[in-house]
Amino acid sequence: MDPTEPTETTSAFRGLESRASGRVHETADPTTVPDDEQARGLDPAYDYDAVDPETLLAAARDGPDGVGRGHWRFDALLPFPADEALSAGEGATPLVPTERLADELDVGAVYVKDEGRNPTGTVLDRGLSVALTAVAGRAAAGADVEPLACASPGNAGQSMAAYAGRADLRSYAFVPSRCAFSNKAMTNVHGGDMRVVGGRFPDAAGAVDDQLETEYTDLGEFATPYRHDGVKTLAFELVADLGEAPDVVVVPTGTGEVLAGVYKGFRELERVGAIDGVPKIVAAQAAGCAPIAAAIERDLDEPEPWETPDTICGELEIADPAGGAAAVEAVRESGGTAVAVEDEDVLASAVAVAQNEVMEMGATGGAAPAGAWALAEDGFFDGTETVVLVNSDAGLKTPDVLRSHLMGQGI
């Protein structure tokens, strides 16, 4: 597929919209967009009038031709057709009802969207599938795209390596030394080149240019316009499964990528007439690194860099999030809020879910129930809501962290 040319598809994709100018460039290839507009960020744009909401959501509920296609069933609102997607069946993850949590939070219903069931155990597989589809399309059209690279706390690097391996493309994941061993190991197992950089996430990000010393395709969050666009399908699945939008969605938040993507999904559903309104989006951050929560509390348009990040939850330790402004906008426009929770509460929440709900939740995902409990204590809920907690990665990502928490309690 040549991503610069129109394709025969039912997709409503129009092109890439510049956040700086609002201009829609009729291309799927971000490298053809002027540098100044690339630098300010690009967002896939769609003709929403061309999308039938019943058909869009029915693709998830019923269509036998959609079996095995995961989130690519929603290709009417994705930039590429499903039959050309680079996919391992990501998406279509379980929405698990948790009556005990609903009772404890004193709300109408609580569900956990278990993103740990994705191919590499992370919600980021949704976006990397779309991003690698774009890159593979450019490569097939003769573009020199290698090497692929991204700086990552861990999950995105592993996911990129998996999809790059499927496309037979060379990739480099730059991760901080604090990155989980499972991410380091599996990045190599998938065939990716994994570079461990001393320090924290900013050190890993700074090492990409220093160590590669060559042109590369940047697959970092918001460097590609497709990662957050792929994540939005989580919102589509929630509405398809529930038959309506939930009232509140609590999202563990580091870079802002997942939260911005989920919000975009709900906004698109509202624009096509599938739902009447966007649910309240809640950013759940670790108290040791909570720039987005601080920006919401201080009524800022975008976060200020966190001076001394310190949390055991590596995916949440993002001091200067690339999607910070987008996350603040999403929280504010949805009528939601942000909450900062201590590491001890995050880990205790992940363990409590594992012990009571037959579900394995990673240290990152634990921020969602911890955040919900903090909100309940603050009187955020009125008692009738349907609340969704996003489990953003699998328990096997950080079993040592969860086990250490139990050992600290003498268990």
Side-chain angles (χ1 to χ4, degrees):
M1 177 184 67
D2 181 350
T4 65
E5 296 294 332
T7 58
E8 292 291 332
T9 176
T10 58
S11 174
F13 179 67
R14 295 173 54 212
L16 298 174
E17 181 177 4
S18 165
R19 295 191 191 126
S21 67
R23 176 186 172 190
V24 176
H25 300 268
E26 294 182 357
T27 179
D29 182 357
T31 66
T32 65
V33 177
D35 289 345
D36 60 330
E37 298 205 343
Q38 284 188 57
R40 294 287 296 276
L42 301 172
D43 198 37
Y46 299 87
D47 177 5
Y48 298 108
D49 291 337
V51 178
D52 176 64
E54 292 186 7
T55 301
L56 177 72
L57 296 180
R61 297 191 190 106
D62 305 317
D65 61 336
V67 173
R69 283 168 45 190
H71 76 153
W72 286 97
R73 301 177 185 189
F74 302 105
D75 62 352
L77 279 175
L78 287 171
F80 311 105
D83 59 3
E84 297 179 4
L86 187 67
S87 175
E90 58 290 319
T93 54
L95 183 63
V96 183
T98 56
E99 293 182 5
R100 187 173 301 185
L101 276 173
D103 289 341
E104 291 178 359
L105 296 176
D106 193 23
V107 295
V110 176
Y111 296 86
V112 175
K113 183 64 167 166
D114 191 2
E115 292 295 294
R117 311 287 187 94
N118 278 301
T120 75
T122 171
V123 63
L124 302 183
D125 286 341
R126 294 176 183 267
L128 268 301
S129 170
V130 180
L132 263 296
T133 296
V135 173
R138 290 177 53 215
D144 183 9
V145 301
E146 293 183 294
L148 317 181
C150 78
S152 163
N155 282 345
Q158 178 183 339
S159 180
M160 176 186 66
Y163 288 96
R166 178 75 170 269
D168 197 25
L169 295 171
R170 184 163 43 103
S171 69
Y172 291 83
F174 289 77
V175 300
S177 52
R178 290 160 57 92
C179 171
F181 174 77
S182 61
N183 291 136
K184 296 173 184 174
M186 293 309 297
T187 295
N188 286 150
V189 169
H190 284 297
D193 190 312
M194 187 265 301
R195 303 287 179 91
V196 178
V197 181
R200 300 174 187 267
F201 177 70
D203 301 295
V208 180
D209 286 331
D210 292 342
Q211 292 192 23
L212 285 185
E213 298 182 340
T214 184
E215 295 293 322
Y216 61 90
T217 297
D218 190 348
L219 290 181
E221 69 284 356
F222 296 100
T224 166
Y226 295 119
R227 281 179 50 171
H228 68 285
D229 200 60
V231 170
K232 74 185 181 186
T233 58
L234 187 155
F236 297 172
E237 290 177 8
L238 290 180
V239 173
D241 287 346
L242 293 172
E244 60 184 359
D247 298 298
V248 180
V249 180
V250 185
V251 184
T253 304
T255 66
E257 167 190 3
V258 176
L259 189 143
V262 169
Y263 175 65
K264 182 181 182 184
F266 283 119
R267 280 199 64 193
E268 290 187 341
L269 291 175
E270 184 181 36
R271 290 192 65 175
V272 303
I275 58 176
D276 293 330
V278 174
K280 295 177 180 178
I281 308 296
V282 175
Q285 295 205 280
C289 188
I292 292 168
I296 294 295
E297 182 180 4
R298 296 171 58 191
D299 199 27
L300 302 177
D301 290 335
E302 59 183 281
E304 295 178 345
W306 199 260
E307 290 188 6
T308 53
D310 185 19
T311 171
I312 195 66
C313 308
E315 293 290 317
L316 301 181
E317 195 179 75
I318 309 296
D320 190 11
V328 168
E329 179 183 47
V331 168
R332 192 164 286 141
E333 290 190 356
S334 72
T337 189
V339 59
V341 286
E342 298 294 337
D343 281 2
E344 185 74 11
D345 294 329
V346 172
L347 301 181
S349 297
V351 169
V353 170
Q355 292 182 348
N356 293 289
E357 300 295 348
V358 199
M359 185 187 315
E360 295 186 352
M361 180 173 278
T364 304
W373 274 312
L375 291 175
E377 291 175 357
D378 289 343
F380 179 80
F381 303 117
D382 66 21
T384 63
E385 295 94 342
T386 294
V387 180
V388 172
L389 311 177
V390 177
N391 178 26
S392 47
D393 63 13
L396 289 177
K397 293 282 190 177
T398 51
D400 53 336
V401 175
L402 299 176
R403 178 61 182 140
S404 293
H405 167 74
L406 292 176
M407 292 176 66
Q409 297 180 320
I411 300 175

